[in-house]
Amino acid sequence: MSSLAQIEAFLPVSSTITTSGQPTTEQFADIASAGYNLIINLATPASSNWNPEESAIVENLGMEYIGIPIDWENPTLSDFDELATKLDENPERKIWVHCAKNMRVSAMMYLYHRLRKGYTEISARRYLEQIWQPNQIWQNFIDATIELYEE
């Protein structure tokens, strides 16, 4: 797993889910070799290090690719619901979720663990805080999403 740890903002969150920033073409081969079979990309074409060939690279390595492009300035509840549904639909698969810097992903995974998996605030937040402290846009999104789910 040491080669995987070289991927930007590498963060394993469970035995089946790992998150990171944007992997390189070579790193996708390492991800496939490690047994991951589903890649979920939350970055957009405007993201740093965007790879327009990523879906082809991933699929040529025998993995499934799902793109859920999340606007950095405007994350939405439907973005969260789409990711959470994909994670819930694939509980037995090894999933790699990434964006440009693991910031979108860590915020979404915080919400997923908190709202869908029932983690305590402290347990859910530990993954988020290993990557960043959300800016105002993302903190507002997190707060609004929690409020909607807790109604």
Side-chain angles (χ1 to χ4, degrees), residues 25 28-29 32 53-65:
T25 299
F28 279 118
E53 304 300 319
E54 181 172 333
S55 64
I57 292 165
V58 165
E59 290 166 358
N60 286 336
L61 290 166
M63 298 181 288
E64 180 182 353
Y65 175 86

Side-chain angles (χ1 to χ4, degrees), residues 31-51:
I31 291 168
S33 293
Y36 290 87
N37 52 32
L38 175 58
I39 303 294
I40 302 176
N41 180 3
L42 305 187
T44 71
S47 300
S48 62
N49 302 322
W50 172 259
N51 185 342

